[in-house]
Amino acid sequence: MGDSTALLGRHDALLCDLDGVIYLGNAGIPEALHVVTLAQSRGIATGFVTNNAGRSPQVVAEHLQLLGLDVDAETVITSGQAAAQQLSEMLAADSPVLVVGSDALMEAVVEAGLRPAGLDEVLANPEASGVAQGYDPDLVWSRLNDATRAVRAGACWVAANTDSTRPTDLGLMPGTGMMVNAVAAATGVEPQVAGKPNRPVFDTAVRRAAAERPIFVGDRLDTDIAGARASGITSLWVLSGSHGAHDAAVVPPEQLPDHVGLTIAAVLEDPIEVSIDMSRETGAASARARAPQGDLVQIDCSASEAAVAGVTPSSAVTALQCLVALRRAGVTTDLAAVAATIDRALSITAEEHDSQGRSMVDREVRHG
């Protein structure tokens, strides 16, 4: 492995999701802290794009600083900022906005030149008013009732994101999307969505990093990876957060990543090279790759079924890269059974990884 051939050495900016990539809950993921610091020491720009609208960029930056990272608020882009900006482009300056979210979302609305307002003012002139909805850990049901009434009356409705779950140190928990869906179900209206996978937040991150060859690291296929691909950014999907192999077997092809890694430490490795053979006549296809430890992994597909060989805990990520490569190549064979085999191996991989008490990056620092 060399710095120039590893993923990190091929890019001039490391852009990351936060929940499930850099931290889980309040706890930092050790690999992530090492990788970000290493990237900065090499002059590689870093930036963070989060769909969590519950905290301001300054609060997020302070959290990252407490974890040991040298960052400031300018490196953080939140979906709350994006939602407020989107509303400001739809409404006149100083228009009233019902904020269904945290204080951070309210601050973003003010910074965008709009005015947080109560339900009565919004209902007085709904066509000239807005509703901004984002994550709020202290949400009460009456706020959803207010949002429902405002949206039903015709107010412009922008949601910071529609993530159904959010990764935490206690496992997956309900995300903003659950609350957005409640309002949508009650009104029959779908919101405009400002955060990932929509392109503006990615464009902002690239612009702030002054990057020409960025890589984006995320744990969700439907937001992080889909958004990076739609924005023309190389993507690394990591398994330290929300999604697993079973998701990769069923999501639309445009949500599949360029690269797969157990954690963000994969940027310090050479990318996994997958060879694919396909037959137009029979519809058969195969993908094979050699894991870093030397194991050969192969997935064989007929028109109706698929099988995988060589999957062990040490080669599970390589097998998942093969699955992703087949689906990106247009293979339509049902890969659910293969994904289940990979997920079982990955669960062992994750347990071993956690029990070691050290990371790939720790070894890189000691021996590199």
Side-chain angles (χ1 to χ4, degrees):
M1 176 180 68
D3 289 347
S4 61
T5 58
L7 276 176
L8 189 62
R10 302 180 181 198
H11 300 279
D12 61 356
L14 178 65
L15 307 178
C16 307
D17 177 43
L18 287 171
D19 292 293
V21 176
I22 302 298
Y23 49 63
L24 288 169
N26 290 324
I29 296 174
E31 285 90 340
L33 309 182
H34 286 297
V35 168
V36 171
T37 300
L38 183 62
Q40 292 172 334
S41 72
R42 295 180 179 177
I44 296 172
T46 55
F48 308 94
V49 182
T50 177
N51 262 1
N52 187 341
R55 300 193 296 176
S56 69
Q58 183 60 45
V59 171
V60 172
E62 289 171 358
H63 180 193
L64 294 174
Q65 290 163 8
L66 286 174
L67 294 176
L69 295 179
D70 182 14
V71 300
D72 58 39
E74 279 299 304
T75 65
V76 179
I77 299 104
T78 75
S79 62
Q81 289 176 299
Q85 179 61 36
Q86 191 161 328
L87 273 173
S88 74
E89 296 169 359
M90 302 164 64
L91 301 169
D94 201 43
S95 293
V97 173
L98 179 69
V99 178
V100 184
S102 67
D103 290 343
L105 182 56
M106 192 170 297
E107 291 172 12
V109 166
V110 172
E111 290 172 359
L114 302 171
R115 179 167 45 83
L119 178 63
D120 289 343
E121 184 175 359
V122 170
L123 291 179
N125 190 7
E127 291 78 11
S129 303
V131 174
Q133 186 171 2
Y135 176 69
D136 183 357
D138 301 315
L139 180 69
V140 293
W141 204 258
S142 61
R143 297 300 288 165
L144 293 179
N145 292 342
D146 290 349
T148 297
R149 293 180 63 189
V151 170
R152 187 182 290 140
C156 300
W157 180 27
V158 175
N161 70 78
T162 53
D163 295 358
S164 59
T165 60
R166 55 188 177 85
T168 75
D169 53 345
L170 300 175
L172 292 180
M173 296 295 173
T176 302
M178 295 291 193
M179 301 301 100
V180 172
N181 289 342
V183 177
T187 61
V189 177
E190 291 296 325
Q192 296 197 41
V193 183
K196 296 176 294 184
N198 295 283
R199 182 163 183 165
V201 288
F202 290 92
D203 289 342
T204 299
V206 171
R207 183 174 63 254
R208 289 189 186 181
E212 296 181 356
R213 303 181 314 280
I215 184 170
F216 190 88
V217 185
D219 68 307
R220 292 190 66 95
L221 296 169
D222 56 346
T223 55
D224 298 321
I225 304 306
R229 287 197 60 188
S231 303
I233 301 173
T234 300
S235 59
L236 168 64
W237 172 41
V238 295
L239 307 172
S240 48
S242 295
H243 286 166
H246 60 287
D247 301 292
V250 297
V251 298
E254 60 269 20
Q255 295 182 9
L256 293 168
D258 298 296
H259 306 285
V260 180
L262 186 63
T263 71
I264 191 176
V267 299
L268 301 182
E269 303 289 337
D270 293 343
I272 299 169
E273 301 292 342
V274 179
S275 299
I276 294 182
D277 294 318
M278 300 182 68
S279 170
R280 293 182 180 179
E281 291 76 17
T282 66
S286 66
R288 58 187 174 277
R290 194 166 293 280
Q293 296 80 359
D295 299 332
L296 182 64
V297 177
Q298 183 160 324
I299 300 176
D300 293 305
C301 303
S302 67
S304 60
E305 59 183 3
V308 61
V311 179
T312 66
S314 63
S315 66
V317 172
T318 301
L320 184 51
Q321 184 77 66
C322 288
L323 183 153
V324 166
L326 283 169
R327 294 211 57 223
R328 286 189 56 156
V331 171
T332 58
T333 305
D334 186 351
L335 292 168
V338 170
T341 299
I342 296 172
D343 268 333
R344 285 193 292 271
L346 284 170
S347 67
I348 299 173
T349 305
E351 290 173 3
E352 292 178 346
H353 176 268
D354 292 341
S355 66
Q356 285 174 351
R358 59 179 185 156
S359 68
M360 289 184 288
V361 178
D362 293 329
R363 295 193 291 274
E364 170 79 8
V365 170
R366 283 199 294 271
H367 299 300

